[in-house]
Amino acid sequence: MKVYLSVDMEGVTGLTDPEEMHAGKRGYERGCELMTADANAAVEGAFDAGAVSVLVNDAHGSTKNLRIDLLDPRASLIRGPGKAQRMAQGLDGSFQAACFVGYHARAGVQDGVLNHTWMGKEIQNVHLNGELCGETRLVAACAGFHGVPVAVVTGDEAVGEEARELLGDVETVAVKKGIDKFSAELLPPSVAQARIREATARALGRLSDFTPYEVAAPYTLGVEWNSTAIAAAVALIPGVKSAGSRHTEFTTDDFTQIMALFGIFATIGGQVACGSGPYG
């Protein structure tokens, strides 16, 4: 059994402050250690369930957060920018299951800790084939495109609810309960990571219960930006069209293009927002 882990950071045990997720900011190094510990808990659970290989993808921000020196030596790690498939880099049809660790609720979920979709300030909402889409749905749809089911989602309570609504009887682990976007009631790391390990082993032990999350093609990605300038800039990408002053849309039959496009969006959106002053 080959298992794929996509590891984000906002849903990691113990983290509530955006500074803990950005290199050079207060608490970041400890945040990386906690992120790696959550990933290791899932890796351990996978091997407990009989996995023969586990591929871990660092899916947060710079994608240079997971500590390779602390990673379970039975796993391998994809790290660093320039990954065409971003949060789903390395995922293909050779895997029997995908697990999402450290995930968070989509933008606008009131009790979702650090809730956002792909970009925290630049994007208001994302839609996939006309329906609201968070990162859980986006990456699950990519996994489904490859015929791979999602077995586990860990993060805060809100993302667990989002995952179950979307994926059915998926195993979820709530390592924190949101109070507001930047505050939460937290489980101690030892408790949270034991639950992640147990849930991963349990899920992979009943793998036949899960089916891939498949979205019918063609796939239409709609993005509501917070800035007319960003919307205008990304609409210059071939295939992307303007659907309103702050809205863009892109349609394709190949879901890998959706994942790749988000990488381009992040580059352009970040540059326009950060390079245009306070009114960008």
Side-chain angles (χ1 to χ4, degrees), residues 27-127:
Y28 172 72
E29 295 300 332
R30 178 58 177 152
C32 291
E33 294 174 359
L34 289 166
M35 182 183 183
T36 308
D38 277 14
N40 278 340
V43 171
E44 291 167 9
F47 281 106
D48 288 347
V52 296
S53 69
V54 176
L55 177 62
V56 180
N57 179 36
D58 189 326
H60 174 74
S62 68
T63 65
K64 297 185 290 185
N65 312 283
L66 287 169
R67 289 277 301 273
I68 186 62
D69 56 318
L70 299 178
L71 190 70
D72 189 308
R74 296 171 292 181
S76 57
L77 173 67
I78 297 177
R79 180 182 188 271
K83 303 185 296 190
Q85 294 298 289
R86 304 289 292 196
M87 296 184 76
Q89 185 67 35
L91 178 58
D92 60 29
S94 68
F95 291 90
Q96 282 68 59
C99 304
F100 300 165
V101 176
Y103 269 50
H104 54 82
R106 66 175 180 263
V109 175
Q110 188 171 12
D111 57 350
V113 183
L114 300 166
N115 69 83
H116 68 281
T117 303
W118 205 265
M119 303 180 77
K121 296 180 180 179
E122 294 82 2
I123 291 177
Q124 292 290 103
N125 283 301
V126 171
H127 290 83

Side-chain angles (χ1 to χ4, degrees), residues 24-271:
K25 299 292 186 178
R26 178 178 55 83
Y28 172 72
E29 295 300 332
R30 178 58 177 152
C32 291
E33 294 174 359
L34 289 166
M35 182 183 183
T36 308
D38 277 14
N40 278 340
V43 171
E44 291 167 9
F47 281 106
D48 288 347
V52 296
S53 69
V54 176
L55 177 62
V56 180
N57 179 36
D58 189 326
H60 174 74
S62 68
T63 65
K64 297 185 290 185
N65 312 283
L66 287 169
R67 289 277 301 273
I68 186 62
D69 56 318
L70 299 178
L71 190 70
D72 189 308
R74 296 171 292 181
S76 57
L77 173 67
I78 297 177
R79 180 182 188 271
K83 303 185 296 190
Q85 294 298 289
R86 304 289 292 196
M87 296 184 76
Q89 185 67 35
L91 178 58
D92 60 29
S94 68
F95 291 90
Q96 282 68 59
C99 304
F100 300 165
V101 176
Y103 269 50
H104 54 82
R106 66 175 180 263
V109 175
Q110 188 171 12
D111 57 350
V113 183
L114 300 166
N115 69 83
H116 68 281
T117 303
W118 205 265
M119 303 180 77
K121 296 180 180 179
E122 294 82 2
I123 291 177
Q124 292 290 103
N125 283 301
V126 171
H127 290 83
L128 180 61
N129 288 9
E131 297 183 9
L132 272 174
C133 180
E135 292 168 28
T136 299
R137 184 165 189 246
L138 184 74
V139 186
C142 186
F145 177 75
H146 294 293
V148 180
V150 177
V152 179
V153 178
T154 81
D156 68 339
E157 280 193 356
V159 77
E161 292 172 5
E162 187 176 324
R164 289 189 297 274
E165 179 181 341
L166 181 72
L167 303 172
D169 191 26
V170 63
E171 291 278 351
T172 61
V173 180
V175 303
K176 48 194 163 187
K177 179 180 180 180
I179 297 170
D180 198 359
K181 186 170 184 175
F182 304 113
S183 58
E185 180 181 344
L186 308 172
L187 289 179
S190 60
V191 175
Q193 288 148 17
R195 292 184 184 180
I196 292 172
R197 178 177 181 171
E198 292 163 3
T200 304
R202 187 166 57 245
L204 297 178
R206 61 181 188 94
L207 199 52
S208 61
D209 292 345
F210 306 115
T211 57
Y213 175 70
E214 296 179 345
V215 177
Y219 313 108
T220 296
L221 176 71
V223 180
E224 177 190 355
W225 301 92
N226 74 347
S227 164
T228 56
I230 298 175
V234 300
L236 297 174
I237 301 170
V240 178
K241 66 179 184 179
S242 175
S245 63
R246 292 189 296 112
H247 293 70
T248 57
E249 286 188 352
F250 174 77
T251 300
T252 179
D253 287 328
D254 182 354
F255 204 91
T256 65
Q257 293 183 352
I258 297 287
M259 300 304 297
L261 188 64
F262 256 123
I264 299 171
F265 278 179
T267 300
I268 294 175
Q271 182 58 41

